[in-house]
Amino acid sequence: MKGVSNGITTLNSAVLSSLRSAVVSGELLPGSLHSVHALAAEFGVSRTPVREALIKMAEQGMVRFERNRGVRILQTTIHDLEEVFELRLLLEVPATRRACEKFDAAGLKELRRQFAAMERAARDGDEVRMWEHDRRFHRTILEATGNKRLAEFIDGMRDMVVKRGVSTAESSRTMLDIVAEHLGVLERLEARDPEGAADAMCAHIQTTSELLLAQEAGDGVDVDLGWTTSAWESRNPVSGVDG
């Protein structure tokens, strides 16, 4: 693993990003056990930022601290994926409504730019680049809420899916199908329609979760994510959710 420099980002953020990347890429293998001291030496930093990063990753289910042994890299399970999508529905749907109320012209321009880049990548058949812009698209919406911790938390949750190495692209749906779901979100945000934007985001996340979980566990998997939207739907009875 490459060393971490304290440049544009803070040291803690850089260490967290590098550790996540090492886990997602498989450089730190699922099931492997590591000491904080050894990881700190490998990154060329003190133990404190490494320990803080690992604590955040443990909260997200990526690693587990084992008493007197170190930290173990965990394998993403079907249940982990289900929990990730439950959290995204609970948090990202109302966050989209909030973002719609707070987006400025520059933010919407950046969102449109990320969408256009995602669409170009899909038409070029470049799945890696498409997912990069997909992630930036969602992050732009989350950051528009003004809650940086929320944006960081939800973005980090996506690593759980990436770590498992699964995707619905060109298996359960085409890349252009995925892009089309984002267009609905973008158009409602540009129209300054908070409820419509929230509904479109909810439908997108539900579709992704249903397809991915069925793909990974089989069509017989019993998944009920409906409870995640009941709270915000009850506060917005006019709003309906597709799917």
Side-chain angles (χ1 to χ4, degrees):
M1 288 172 283
K2 297 180 180 179
V4 178
S5 61
N6 188 7
I8 299 176
T9 60
T10 64
L11 180 60
N12 287 355
S13 295
V15 171
L16 176 58
S17 177
S18 295
L19 272 171
R20 277 178 176 166
S21 295
V23 172
V24 169
S25 68
E27 191 172 352
L28 293 176
L29 293 172
S32 60
L33 191 65
H34 307 269
S35 72
V36 174
H37 178 77
L39 289 172
E42 197 161 357
F43 279 99
V45 297
S46 68
R47 283 176 287 182
T48 299
V50 171
R51 179 172 291 278
E52 290 181 358
L54 290 171
I55 288 173
K56 290 183 179 181
M57 292 169 67
E59 291 172 350
Q60 295 174 348
M62 298 185 76
V63 303
R64 179 182 65 233
F65 282 94
E66 297 185 0
R67 187 178 179 84
N68 298 324
R69 299 190 69 189
V71 63
R72 189 175 299 280
I73 310 301
L74 300 180
Q75 173 64 56
T76 303
T77 66
I78 296 296
H79 183 62
D80 290 329
L81 294 179
E82 186 176 352
E83 289 186 341
V84 165
F85 284 111
E86 286 175 344
L87 285 168
R88 288 189 63 188
L89 285 165
L90 284 167
L91 298 174
E92 199 165 353
V93 173
T96 301
R97 183 189 302 106
R98 176 64 170 167
C100 189
E101 296 167 349
K102 299 192 69 175
F103 255 124
D104 57 17
L108 286 173
K109 183 178 180 180
E110 172 61 17
L111 194 66
R112 171 62 72 170
R113 190 179 74 83
Q114 292 299 337
F115 174 81
M118 187 195 321
E119 185 175 39
R120 283 195 301 272
R123 293 191 183 282
D124 291 343
D126 190 337
E127 183 179 348
V128 172
R129 188 158 54 90
M130 187 203 72
W131 286 124
E132 287 176 354
H133 291 290
D134 171 290
R135 190 159 180 166
R136 292 174 193 168
F137 180 94
H138 284 265
R139 183 70 182 247
T140 300
I141 294 173
L142 293 168
E143 289 180 345
T145 67
N147 191 323
K148 293 182 179 180
R149 288 183 176 85
L150 174 67
E152 181 68 24
F153 178 76
I154 297 178
D155 188 58
M157 285 287 97
R158 294 175 66 113
D159 286 334
M160 296 293 293
V161 181
V162 176
K163 185 161 72 78
R164 190 175 171 90
V166 294
S167 169
T168 60
E170 305 306 326
S171 53
S172 300
R173 55 183 171 173
T174 69
M175 284 189 277
L176 288 175
D177 288 335
I178 296 170
V179 171
E181 292 174 20
H182 290 79
L183 179 59
V185 176
L186 175 62
E187 289 179 337
R188 291 300 87 211
L189 288 170
E190 290 180 328
R192 301 293 184 176
D193 177 5
E195 301 308 325
D199 287 351
M201 180 63 78
C202 183
H204 165 53
I205 297 174
Q206 283 185 320
T207 297
T208 300
S209 64
E210 290 167 2
L211 291 175
L212 189 62
L213 289 167
Q215 178 180 301
E216 288 300 291
D219 293 331
V221 63
D222 182 19
V223 177
D224 178 17
L225 303 180
W227 68 273
T228 59
T229 58
S230 60
W232 67 266
E233 281 179 339
S234 66
R235 291 195 296 271
N236 297 276
V238 176
S239 173
V241 178
D242 294 337

